[in-house]
Amino acid sequence: MRRKIAAGNWKMNTTLEEAKSLSNIVAAGSRPDDVEVILGVPSLFASSIMPGIQNYSNMSIAIQNCHQNEKGAFTGELSAAMIASMNIPYVILGHSERREYFKESDALILEKCKMALSHGVTPIYCCGEPLDIRESETQNDYVKSQFEKSILQLTAEDFSQIIIAYEPIWAIGTGKTASPDQAQEMHAYLRKLISEQFGEEQANKTPILYGGSVKPGNANDLFGKADVDGGLVGGASLKASDFLEIINAF
Ligand code: PEP
């Protein structure tokens, strides 16, 4: 039985009051005990959000990025050590917006993953293909290459810690969702890649989330697929009632 995870990625949204209200409503809402809820919050607000969720053992915070270096003269950046020192367990790495707007390469994302893991912070590692790749039906090769240049290079011990999010770029924030079958097909393929590198046991344990316009209306069908262990949710995680419906959709 794999973990069930509903992760929200708030991106660069919310004011302090909105962030506290959103996280408090989700925390107090009716949710199954066995679904882990991870809030990918603006880092500036993490310490203000913490008191409202700390009594819920199945809720935690993710930071949305970290730097690949230990520390130093990198104005405006956040280190994995800082995240760890606040007891924040997760960091989202390799999100397509970081790849596109901040030109993050697979090699850089691997460095960030290693730095996070060295501080005991778990990467939620994102991968996924753009529309032209999906249209040319080469999405498996594309994501395989992302894997090979990044997380497949981790040690088995490091790899055993991570969470993967498959996020087809054409489905992020577009209202278009991969069909449950498309998601299942890719997730099964990713599990095969993991199995080839780290063995079947690890492949069967690794949580693989789907991301890309997950909504209350499609979450149940997506999460019902054998290899889909939950979602990384952008837009719909900003509305407490929608996110709670998604959390309850397993
Ligand atoms: C995301 O950015 O990780 C995401 C999946 O966004 P949305 O749910 O809005 O498509």
Side-chain angles (χ1 to χ4, degrees):
M1 195 58 173
R2 276 190 298 271
R3 296 159 64 188
K4 297 177 194 164
I5 300 171
N9 177 11
W10 295 3
K11 311 190 186 188
M12 196 175 73
N13 291 298
T14 71
T15 61
L16 174 60
E17 288 315 313
E18 287 165 351
K20 284 199 286 189
S21 158
L22 178 54
S23 55
N24 288 343
I25 296 170
V26 173
S30 163
R31 298 177 284 113
D33 288 341
D34 65 343
V35 176
E36 294 173 47
V37 176
I38 303 173
L39 303 179
V41 305
S43 45
L44 188 60
F45 302 150
S47 56
S48 305
I49 288 168
M50 262 175 211
I53 68 164
Q54 67 193 7
N55 291 332
Y56 301 89
S57 60
N58 57 5
M59 270 192 95
S60 48
I61 287 177
I63 296 301
Q64 298 173 16
N65 180 37
C66 74
H67 198 267
Q68 67 277 17
N69 280 69
E70 180 70 41
K71 62 178 175 179
F74 301 101
T75 301
E77 291 290 321
L78 287 179
S79 73
M82 292 172 186
I83 299 172
S85 72
M86 290 187 67
N87 293 318
I88 291 175
Y90 298 106
V91 60
I92 299 171
L93 293 174
H95 192 279
S96 63
E97 286 149 19
R98 300 288 322 170
R99 293 176 188 262
E100 184 182 350
Y101 304 135
F102 302 95
K103 305 289 170 243
E104 293 194 4
S105 65
D106 293 306
L108 178 70
I109 295 159
L110 173 61
E111 280 186 61
K112 291 184 176 208
C113 285
K114 286 182 179 168
M115 183 54 70
L117 286 158
S118 76
H119 286 280
V121 178
T122 296
I124 300 174
Y125 164 85
C126 305
C127 59
E129 80 286 353
L131 185 59
D132 58 324
I133 295 290
R134 173 59 66 165
E135 283 173 346
S136 64
E137 295 178 7
T138 54
Q139 65 273 8
N140 285 11
D141 291 343
Y142 187 92
V143 180
K144 181 181 185 194
S145 161
Q146 290 183 320
F147 259 43
E148 283 176 345
K149 292 182 197 146
S150 57
I151 51 170
L152 292 186
Q153 295 194 34
L154 293 171
T155 63
E157 196 190 331
D158 273 354
F159 187 87
S160 71
Q161 304 301 310
I162 72 170
I163 295 172
I164 292 170
Y166 167 60
E167 299 208 306
I169 298 170
W170 48 271
I172 296 180
T174 58
K176 276 190 196 171
T177 317
S179 69
D181 287 341
Q182 285 174 320
Q184 167 57 27
E185 204 179 309
M186 178 58 84
H187 285 219
Y189 177 67
L190 298 182
R191 236 178 262 292
K192 177 171 162 284
L193 295 178
I194 298 166
S195 177
E196 284 164 5
Q197 181 75 11
F198 297 111
E200 204 180 327
E201 197 185 330
Q202 181 58 60
N204 286 334
K205 276 198 297 214
T206 304
I208 308 181
L209 315 182
Y210 167 79
S213 299
V214 176
K215 307 276 181 233
N218 58 28
N220 179 263
D221 286 343
L222 287 160
F223 300 170
K225 290 292 175 184
D227 287 294
V228 178
D229 304 317
L232 178 54
V233 185
S237 72
L238 289 167
K239 201 172 155 203
S241 57
D242 282 1
F243 194 48
L244 278 166
E245 270 193 66
I246 290 168
I247 295 167
N248 281 286
F250 285 85

